[in-house]
Amino acid sequence: MELALVWFILLAVLWTGYLVLEGFDFGVGMLMPIVGRNNTERRVALNTIGPVWDGNEVWLLTAGGATFAAFPEWYATMFSGFYLPLLLILVALIVRAVAIEYRGKINSDAWRRRWDRVIITSAWFPSILWGVAFANLVRGVNLDENHQYSGNFFDLLNPFALLGGVVTLLLFLSHGSIFLALKTDGIVRERAEKLAKQFGLFAIVAAGAWAVWGQLAYSRNAWTWGAVGVAAVSLVAAWYLVGAKKFGLAFAFNAVAIAAAVVFIFGALYPNVMPAINDPANSLTIYNASSTDYTLKVMTIVAAIFTPIVLAYQAWSYWVFRKRLHVDHIPEHNELTFSKA
């Protein structure tokens, strides 16, 4: 198999890891004000992702770095063409990290409410914008003869891309609510169970409509119907298992659905990495956008050495923090207390 194709597949794996893991992070962030009616309940929700959220973002850094190294022209065209939405995502990720770290620094309800609003808002933006970006990749964009993006920001806000944003939003809300039902106990878990059932049903409808639209209108390969089928069966299975209160299996099936969605996106693109809708001859492919064979060989050796280490460390961290959380586990406060002089 050619190394360019190998790295195209590996990028799909990296994006799968990121969307599965960061997807429930975003879901928990968006659901904080719904599952948590007071500070202690919101703290329970936030603590479910506390030990893992920054490790989950490593997948994004790796996917971005691998795209830059393996397909530099794809990276340059995508980041210049999708500049504003990707900048908004980056800002949201930065302020979210600050908010999670600073929320518990001072014992003040006003302080915590302020950072809670930042955490919630910064989870909504990426959840929608990732879907918009990936949907535009599947649909294709305007590229000139030098493979540079020749459209504008509003071209990215087409109906197919906006529906893609709704799909990722609902998938992450469903994923996050299942994760909360799996990781918490008591009143937070009861609320998360109800939300998982509702968002799961909405996700089935929206994702089904988007996938069929994408397959019929934009996919370049018939075999991606298989990925659509796997995603549909997995979402229905996850929704059923939530009703049966088997949250571990429901989470696994939801993860399979997200993985199948990534397979559909990359499969629909192949052999392109960025199709040109104005002139197919201007499309970026895995061949004209890839680095040299030497660069790809070095990347493959490095990935073969370090990827198992990263996976083992991340699996270990999830195992260590595997227990359910309850409001009784949250101390009254251990933050700094300031008073007026």
Side-chain angles (χ1 to χ4, degrees):
M1 186 183 293
E2 295 172 335
L3 285 176
L5 179 56
V6 169
W7 274 97
F8 182 70
I9 295 170
L10 288 177
L11 280 177
V13 173
L14 290 172
W15 279 109
T16 298
Y18 173 69
L19 296 174
V20 167
L21 297 177
E22 191 87 304
F24 71 73
D25 280 0
F26 291 144
V28 170
M30 290 186 285
L31 294 170
M32 270 181 62
I34 304 175
V35 298
R37 307 288 170 80
N38 55 49
N39 171 60
T40 305
E41 292 170 359
R42 288 193 292 274
R43 186 73 219 184
V44 168
L46 188 58
N47 280 13
T48 61
I49 62 172
V52 296
W53 69 269
D54 46 359
N56 294 342
E57 290 191 347
V58 170
W59 289 82
L60 175 61
L61 298 176
T62 309
T67 305
F68 173 75
F71 299 99
E73 196 156 358
W74 182 16
Y75 182 92
T77 301
M78 182 167 60
F79 276 75
S80 59
F82 297 176
Y83 180 78
L84 185 55
L86 293 179
L87 177 65
L88 289 173
I89 290 173
L90 179 61
V91 171
L93 294 179
I94 292 172
V95 298
R96 173 172 168 266
V98 173
I100 291 174
E101 293 294 336
Y102 274 53
R103 183 188 187 277
K105 298 296 184 186
I106 297 177
N107 181 32
S108 161
D109 288 339
W111 173 271
R112 287 188 287 258
R113 282 196 301 272
R114 197 174 301 135
W115 289 116
D116 282 348
R117 285 195 287 271
V118 177
I119 294 171
I120 295 160
T121 305
S122 59
W124 278 85
F125 272 96
S127 297
I128 297 170
L129 292 174
W130 279 129
V132 172
F134 278 112
N136 272 302
L137 283 180
V138 173
R139 174 181 175 270
V141 293
N142 290 314
L143 298 177
D144 63 22
E145 61 276 11
N146 296 316
H147 309 302
Q148 298 300 307
Y149 180 66
S150 57
N152 57 50
F153 171 73
F154 294 101
D155 290 339
L156 302 177
L157 303 180
N158 54 79
F160 182 69
L162 293 176
L163 180 57
V166 172
V167 169
T168 49
L169 174 68
L170 290 171
L171 281 177
F172 292 168
L173 284 167
S174 172
H175 208 40
S177 54
I178 294 173
F179 182 75
L180 282 169
L182 183 64
K183 287 287 295 178
T184 62
D185 218 339
I187 188 65
V188 175
R189 179 183 179 180
E190 292 174 13
R191 292 170 184 154
E193 286 181 27
K194 293 178 182 176
L195 292 168
K197 195 76 175 172
Q198 295 166 357
F199 287 127
L201 190 58
F202 292 142
I204 291 170
V205 175
W210 182 82
V212 171
W213 185 357
Q215 178 65 38
L216 293 174
Y218 304 117
S219 178
R220 288 129 191 106
N221 298 290
W223 66 264
T224 46
W225 274 115
V228 174
V230 171
V233 171
S234 299
L235 284 176
V236 172
W239 179 76
Y240 171 78
L241 289 165
V242 166
K245 298 185 182 300
K246 296 180 179 179
F247 300 110
L249 278 174
F251 185 81
F253 272 103
N254 227 44
V256 170
I258 294 173
V262 177
V263 171
F264 167 72
I265 291 168
F266 277 72
L269 283 172
Y270 181 80
N272 299 318
V273 290
M274 205 156 184
I277 54 173
N278 53 319
D279 184 352
N282 295 342
S283 297
L284 279 169
T285 71
I286 63 172
Y287 304 108
N288 65 20
S290 67
S291 292
T292 64
D293 275 351
Y294 177 76
T295 301
L296 296 177
K297 282 179 185 175
V298 172
M299 290 178 62
T300 305
I301 294 170
V302 172
I305 295 172
F306 289 102
T307 302
I309 298 173
V310 173
L311 290 175
Y313 175 78
Q314 199 156 25
W316 176 74
S317 67
Y318 274 88
W319 174 255
V320 169
F321 297 103
R322 65 188 181 280
K323 290 185 178 179
R324 288 180 180 275
L325 293 174
H326 188 276
V327 290
D328 294 339
H329 298 144
I330 305 299
E332 184 177 351
H333 76 82
N334 55 4
E335 305 95 340
L336 296 175
T337 301
F338 292 98
S339 58
K340 293 182 180 178

